[in-house]
Amino acid sequence: QKLEELIDIDDLGDYKLTREECAKIAGGFGATDDSVAKLLMDVVHEDKNNLQSVVNEGLTSAVRAGDYHTSRQLLILYTLVASRGGYESDDSSKGSGIMLLKNGGGSG
């Protein structure tokens, strides 16, 4: 997908969507690495046990849409977020969820 076509999940904040709904939109339409990483970090900070469920929703939508780039993106970001356990400080992750990627690798 072209970068211009990717959605920034943060722009959906006015719609009062659940984390699962945001993941479905990200999976179905594609989203920026920053916004997906921030979504997953937010889930970890709110309810770490819900992380896999949110990722599963996004993956399901991505596979249905035939968007294997987004599927791969979700799996990579999920792995990074889950392995870090969401222990990034609030100050370091504010404004850019991708901060954890800069310390732990990239999504290609």
Side-chain angles (χ1 to χ4, degrees), residues 24-35:
K24 285 181 183 180
I25 291 171
F29 295 99
T32 63
D33 284 351
D34 281 342
S35 63

Side-chain angles (χ1 to χ4, degrees), residues 13-41:
D14 294 340
Y15 294 104
K16 308 291 185 229
L17 301 172
T18 66
R19 301 289 183 214
E20 288 85 356
E21 290 167 335
C22 288
K24 285 181 183 180
I25 291 171
F29 295 99
T32 63
D33 284 351
D34 281 342
S35 63
V36 172
K38 185 176 182 312
L39 171 69
L40 297 180
M41 290 299 292

Side-chain angles (χ1 to χ4, degrees), residues 27-108:
F29 295 99
T32 63
D33 284 351
D34 281 342
S35 63
V36 172
K38 185 176 182 312
L39 171 69
L40 297 180
M41 290 299 292
D42 289 348
V43 170
V44 167
H45 290 299
E46 289 176 13
D47 180 11
K48 189 174 184 176
N49 297 325
N50 197 26
L51 181 61
Q52 187 171 354
S53 173
V54 170
V55 171
N56 286 342
E57 293 292 340
L59 283 173
T60 300
S61 294
V63 170
R64 284 185 183 153
D67 185 353
Y68 300 105
H69 171 77
T70 300
S71 299
R72 179 176 174 266
Q73 173 197 38
L74 280 165
L75 288 173
I76 290 169
L77 293 173
Y78 168 64
T79 302
L80 290 170
V81 169
S83 68
R84 296 239 178 215
Y87 297 123
E88 295 289 321
S89 69
D90 286 343
D91 293 337
S92 69
S93 61
K94 274 185 187 167
S96 179
I98 206 74
M99 187 60 101
L100 88 116
L101 292 179
K102 291 179 181 174
N103 296 327
S107 65

